[in-house]
Amino acid sequence: MGPVAIIFIGLVPAQLAGAGTYVKIKDSSSPRWGREWVAASAGGLATTLVASLIYLSLGLHKQLFPQMSWGASVFMGVCWGIYQGVLGRGRPFRRRPPTDFWPPPMEGG
């Protein structure tokens, strides 16, 4: 199995775990835990943990370069965790319809 396949195999459950954590904490009844930055941080941490564990177990670091340390797998997990915490907060579970399409719809005239 190549490194690209391993990245996607680890990415999907990690993003779902991070989004699920974000949504669960964001919908919390406690006002202290329902803050945006707390939910985003927890979602990013969950993504990091899940992705890193999967990448380590599948040996992503060995697929990238045989002499590479396990830190490369953890680094890749941290990168996806930062993405989830900063940019992708709850995104896989978001149900809003897209508001802008390109090209714009043609108007009848």
Side-chain angles (χ1 to χ4, degrees):
M1 184 175 353
V4 174
I6 293 174
I7 289 172
F8 282 111
I9 288 170
L11 175 63
V12 172
Q15 290 290 313
L16 291 174
T21 303
Y22 172 83
V23 169
K24 185 163 180 83
I25 291 178
K26 190 72 176 153
D27 293 342
S28 172
S29 60
S30 171
R32 188 171 59 172
W33 287 107
R35 293 185 180 148
E36 177 69 24
W37 71 270
V38 174
S41 299
L45 183 62
T47 302
T48 298
L49 290 174
V50 171
S52 295
L53 288 173
I54 292 172
Y55 293 156
L56 283 171
S57 65
L58 294 178
L60 175 63
H61 55 286
K62 296 294 181 188
Q63 290 292 322
L64 293 173
F65 191 70
Q67 290 83 20
M68 194 170 284
S69 125
W70 57 268
S73 293
V74 175
F75 175 75
M76 185 65 77
V78 169
C79 289
W80 288 120
I82 291 171
Y83 165 78
Q84 180 69 31
V86 175
L87 298 174
R89 298 183 303 264
R91 201 159 297 236
F93 296 140
R94 200 171 282 172
R95 296 198 185 266
R96 283 186 274 161
T99 56
D100 56 338
F101 289 96
W102 189 88
M106 297 192 58
E107 304 207 9

